[in-house]
Amino acid sequence: MPTFKEITAADIKTSRSALNQLVDIIQNDISGSSTRKKYQVFVTGGLGPGVTSSLFQTVFDQDYTLQTANEVLDLTVGVFSGSSTVAGCTTGTDSAGKLLFSSNTMMMREKINVYRQFAQTLLGDADAQFSAPFTNIITTDYVDEAIFINVKRLFARDKIKPQAFAMQFYTSGVQDSTTPTFPNYSNIDRTSISGSAIFTDAGQGTQFGFGGQVGDVAFSSDSSRVVGNLFYDQGILVLDAKKAISGSQHVSGAISAISSTGTTVIGSSTGNPNAKFIPDLWVSGSIDDIVDHIASCRVSSGSLTAMTFQNVTNINSTLVFCRATADEFNYSANPTFTDSNGNIIVIDDETTDRTFSYITTVGLYDANDNLLAVAKMSRPIEKNDEKDLTFRIRLDF
């Protein structure tokens, strides 16, 4: 049977530490069709077969049909309701106050609602507007069209470590002046061979807001060119699309739309030949159209790192110091420790030999003698009346 000793409050200490893990997300995981899952929950009615789209897409670390696949991050886009982009395509409101839009727009109310949901979570007000830099109140720094990248808890853990984030992003679209008309010229589904930039929070200050600690993300080549905010505690990156991509560049290609075929062509001679990424694609394309373009063209495909960061896992520890003084725990309660006469079996000459024991296990009990935890030694530890031992038991959670 065990030997008991009461543990006092002085023998219990608490501490907190952090564990950092480096996470690398490669380009193929974001751009690949088998690793990026769509949820087609939006369906139009009216003309043609209708258009289906997701409200967001999830990136996995391998083929998402496999049971071993892990969700890495979510991608979606949004538009601020009070922006010039919305004002330029709305036709007013109905009797219930719901915004109405022209027929050449797609999912505008959904894009507005996505923006509002992130604003509520990160800014504490669904009607608030993001700004890059975060603390700026200059009109030109307000984020009208936003790209939201939400890192999953499995990889973000308790938070993303400040000053340790970097992302490769193609800011320029494909440009080919020799074939400027669709279908020979379609850049909505092509990755530029140049214009790659690194976005990072290194060298940027941090502050605290409703959504916790937040830092600015800027071009690594020019820290004054801020392109978005990184909410560390939430694991959410908010990019200003106008600053992160060359939004004023011409865009051309097939997108989902309400038509007899279910698709239409943006930036063609038959449509709007002067179409731009912003606001035209952001207004006329579905969320899937825009996210597909960002994931496949702005991130590109390959085995290079698209995004890297360090996460933080907070470890709360309780340290219990179990002390065995010189005259304690030198005997064993095991019946085999003594013979039938009560003499200690392992001692040959009681005048010269001292009793000793080997400690192999420490158990922690509550006040009602219920066993709560067991600590096993890596090897038996000898205890005699010439040794004063202290065992430190660490409980992490």
Side-chain angles (χ1 to χ4, degrees):
M1 60 181 295
T3 303
F4 292 93
K5 181 178 181 179
E6 183 177 354
I7 296 176
T8 66
D11 299 320
I12 302 176
K13 304 294 181 183
T14 59
S15 66
R16 185 176 183 179
S17 58
L19 177 67
N20 299 124
Q21 179 186 26
L22 179 64
V23 178
D24 277 328
I25 304 172
I26 64 173
Q27 295 170 328
N28 271 338
D29 284 345
I30 299 178
S31 62
S33 59
S34 63
T35 55
R36 184 160 40 88
K37 187 176 182 180
K38 299 180 180 181
Y39 309 89
Q40 295 182 334
V41 297
F42 173 86
V43 182
T44 64
L47 182 65
V51 176
T52 60
S53 176
S54 309
L55 297 179
F56 66 94
Q57 297 182 16
T58 301
V59 173
F60 290 75
D61 58 0
Q62 56 183 305
D63 187 338
Y64 62 78
T65 61
L66 301 176
Q67 291 185 345
T68 55
N70 298 303
E71 297 180 349
V72 180
L73 54 85
D74 292 329
L75 286 168
T76 189
V77 296
V79 180
F80 180 60
S81 60
S83 65
S84 58
T85 299
V86 173
C89 61
T90 183
T91 59
T93 58
D94 63 9
S95 58
K98 183 171 64 174
L99 285 172
L100 302 175
F101 295 93
S102 57
S103 60
N104 62 346
T105 66
M106 177 65 67
M107 300 182 70
M108 287 302 295
R109 280 189 288 269
E110 286 70 20
K111 295 168 188 173
I112 291 172
N113 287 336
V114 168
Y115 194 106
R116 286 172 53 82
Q117 288 175 2
F118 277 95
Q120 178 65 56
T121 300
L122 302 176
L123 304 179
D125 183 359
D127 296 321
Q129 188 173 10
F130 292 98
S131 177
F134 182 72
T135 56
N136 263 25
I137 56 175
I138 302 175
T139 304
T140 55
D141 288 330
Y142 283 129
V143 179
D144 290 334
E145 301 84 13
I147 303 171
F148 299 104
I149 301 177
N150 186 1
V151 181
K152 293 293 189 177
R153 166 78 176 175
L154 178 63
F155 292 90
R157 299 301 174 92
D158 290 319
K159 66 182 297 183
I160 292 177
K161 182 180 178 181
Q163 307 291 312
F165 172 86
M167 179 181 184
Q168 185 181 34
F169 201 83
Y170 284 80
T171 60
S172 298
V174 174
Q175 300 182 71
D176 186 354
S177 59
T178 60
T179 54
T181 59
F182 184 86
N184 296 321
Y185 175 65
S186 172
N187 62 353
I188 197 173
D189 55 358
R190 295 168 61 193
T191 301
S192 177
I193 60 175
S194 63
S196 174
I198 302 297
F199 298 154
T200 179
D201 69 333
Q204 300 292 326
T206 64
Q207 48 270 325
F208 288 87
F210 180 85
Q213 190 176 14
V214 56
D216 293 328
V217 175
F219 281 83
S220 61
S221 59
D222 185 355
S223 60
S224 65
R225 295 178 59 190
V226 177
V227 297
N229 314 129
L230 181 56
F231 292 82
Y232 299 108
D233 296 300
Q234 305 291 337
I236 298 176
L237 173 66
V238 182
L239 290 177
D240 185 345
K242 284 181 180 177
K243 295 181 178 180
I245 71 174
S246 300
S248 61
Q249 288 182 347
H250 179 81
V251 60
S252 180
I255 62 172
S256 302
I258 302 176
S259 66
S260 59
T261 61
T263 61
T264 190
V265 175
I266 187 173
S268 68
S269 58
T270 58
N272 178 9
N274 299 314
K276 310 295 183 182
F277 282 105
I278 298 173
D280 301 285
L281 176 60
W282 237 256
V283 169
S284 300
S286 67
I287 290 180
D288 271 348
D289 288 329
I290 303 172
V291 172
D292 284 344
H293 170 74
I294 294 170
S296 61
C297 301
R298 301 295 174 169
V299 176
S300 186
S301 60
S303 57
L304 299 178
T305 298
M307 182 186 298
T308 183
F309 59 87
Q310 291 185 48
N311 60 29
V312 178
T313 302
N314 295 321
I315 301 175
N316 297 290
S317 303
T318 298
L319 303 178
V320 182
F321 295 90
C322 302
R323 297 179 172 87
T325 60
D327 59 349
E328 293 179 315
F329 302 102
N330 301 321
Y331 295 85
S332 172
N334 193 312
T336 61
F337 195 70
T338 58
D339 58 20
S340 58
N341 296 321
N343 298 316
I344 300 175
I345 295 176
V346 294
I347 296 180
D348 295 329
D349 186 352
E350 295 185 4
T351 61
T352 59
D353 291 346
R354 295 184 176 90
T355 181
F356 62 93
S357 63
Y358 283 94
I359 298 176
T360 61
T361 306
V362 176
L364 300 179
Y365 293 78
D366 64 10
N368 297 319
D369 290 339
N370 296 311
L371 182 62
L372 303 179
V374 175
K376 290 286 186 180
M377 309 301 170
S378 60
R379 58 180 177 82
I381 298 177
E382 182 182 352
K383 177 68 179 68
N384 56 49
D385 60 4
E386 294 183 346
K387 289 185 177 181
D388 192 340
L389 301 179
T390 299
F391 299 95
R392 189 187 72 169
I393 299 175
R394 179 170 178 162
L395 304 176
D396 294 335
F397 57 93

